[in-house]
């Protein structure tokens, strides 16, 4: 929540959106005054004025629109191992959005993820990043969205169980030294 000078408040809520590659935010002014918003990039930002005190802003991620999944479905790896996980990670281009070394990217870094506690949008308590959470994050990325990151951004990968297991083993090797 932002505080405005006049003692009014601006409240923002991230809205779920069915549109791929985009996210929506409701911006509400609580108190006196009028709300206006001119986006810095009108090409990727759409502003809908609901009232003088409420705007709905839709941002489409250009970089993500250009992101095309070029997946070679015929993966050589059939076994379950961290090594196979690495092959899948590279083939699926997970690194386009996730670093393994703490660097910022489109998505959260996966360094030190396993066993850590993640802030999730709409959840009071932090989520333990156990095996179940990491699996779910890969198969159904919009079920629990990490704070600070947009929903509907990570593509849904329909991966077979053995590949998810391998990815899980590989992600667990990203440990803080
Ligand atoms: C186009 C960008 C993009 C690609 C490609 C992508 N992700 Fe993500 N991923 C995200 C974003 C953004 C989030 C955070 C929002 C959320 O929780 O859905 C995320 C969240 C995650 C999380 C939870 C991280 C946390 O901090 O709790 C895991 C695990 C994950 N992704 C694994 C993968 C794997 C494995 C692949 C490849 C098979 C992949 N991602 C490909 C964007 C991407």
């Amino acid at each position: 929540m932002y505080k405005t000078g006049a003692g009014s408040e601006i409240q923002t809520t991230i809205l779920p959106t069915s549109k791929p590659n985009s996210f929506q935010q409701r911006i509400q002014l609580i108190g006196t005054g009028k709300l206006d918003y001119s986006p810095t990039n009108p090409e990727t930002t759409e502003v809908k004025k609901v009232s003088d005190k409420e705007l709905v802003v839709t941002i489409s991620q250009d970089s993500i629109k250009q992101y095309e999944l070029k997946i070679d479905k015929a993966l050589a790896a059939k076994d379950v191992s961290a090594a196979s996980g690495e092959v899948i990670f590279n083939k699926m281009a997970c690194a386009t959005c996730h670093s393994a070394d703490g660097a910022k990217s489109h998505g959260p870094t996966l360094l030190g993820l396993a066993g850590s506690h993640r802030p999730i949008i709409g959840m009071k308590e932090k989520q333990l990043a156990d095996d179940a959470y990491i699996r779910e994050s890969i198969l159904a990325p919009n079920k629990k969205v990490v704070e600070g990151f947009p929903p509907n951004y990570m593509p849904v990968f329909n991966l077979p169980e053995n590949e998810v297991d391998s990815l899980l083993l590989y992600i667990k090797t990203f440990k803080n030294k």
Side-chain angles (χ1 to χ4, degrees):
M1 192 177 288
Y2 306 95
K3 282 252 188 277
T4 56
S8 309
E9 279 178 349
I10 305 267
Q11 197 172 20
T12 62
T13 324
I14 302 225
L15 303 174
T17 160
S18 52
K19 264 213 239 159
N21 312 319
S22 68
F23 82 105
Q24 238 176 24
Q25 223 181 2
R26 177 187 293 132
I27 304 175
Q28 284 164 301
L29 178 75
I30 298 160
T32 49
K34 275 189 185 179
L35 200 55
D36 212 353
Y37 178 61
S38 8
T40 42
N41 189 349
E43 273 175 25
T44 53
T45 313
E46 183 198 318
V47 181
K48 205 177 111 202
K49 209 166 179 181
V50 180
S51 71
D52 276 352
K53 296 193 191 298
E54 183 175 340
L55 303 174
V56 172
V57 178
T58 309
I59 299 171
S60 343
Q61 305 287 345
D62 242 18
S63 55
I64 289 311
K65 267 192 200 143
Q66 289 154 14
Y67 175 87
E68 275 180 43
L69 280 179
K70 296 191 182 88
I71 297 175
D72 178 359
K73 288 279 181 197
L75 288 175
K78 291 273 175 263
D79 65 322
V80 173
S81 66
S84 296
E86 184 175 4
V87 174
I88 298 159
F89 197 84
N90 292 330
K91 286 217 179 186
M92 299 294 169
C94 309
T96 312
C97 299
H98 296 286
S99 80
D101 64 0
K104 281 193 179 159
S105 184
H106 298 295
T109 182
L110 300 180
L111 177 70
L113 172 65
S116 69
H117 288 83
R118 310 295 298 135
I120 304 294
I121 294 173
M123 268 173 65
K124 263 197 175 157
E125 303 282 318
K126 285 195 176 173
Q127 165 73 43
L128 170 68
D130 54 10
D131 291 6
Y133 167 77
I134 296 175
R135 294 180 66 95
E136 185 186 79
S137 299
I138 298 169
L139 292 169
N142 293 317
K143 275 212 174 152
K144 297 197 179 97
V145 177
V146 181
E147 263 177 28
F149 294 92
N152 294 308
Y153 198 106
M154 175 166 155
V156 175
F157 295 90
N158 271 316
L159 296 171
E161 289 290 299
N162 66 313
E163 293 182 9
V164 179
D165 287 340
S166 292
L167 278 171
L168 181 62
L169 288 175
Y170 181 54
I171 289 171
K172 283 177 162 180
T173 66
F174 304 156
K175 286 189 191 137
N176 284 299
K177 296 225 168 72

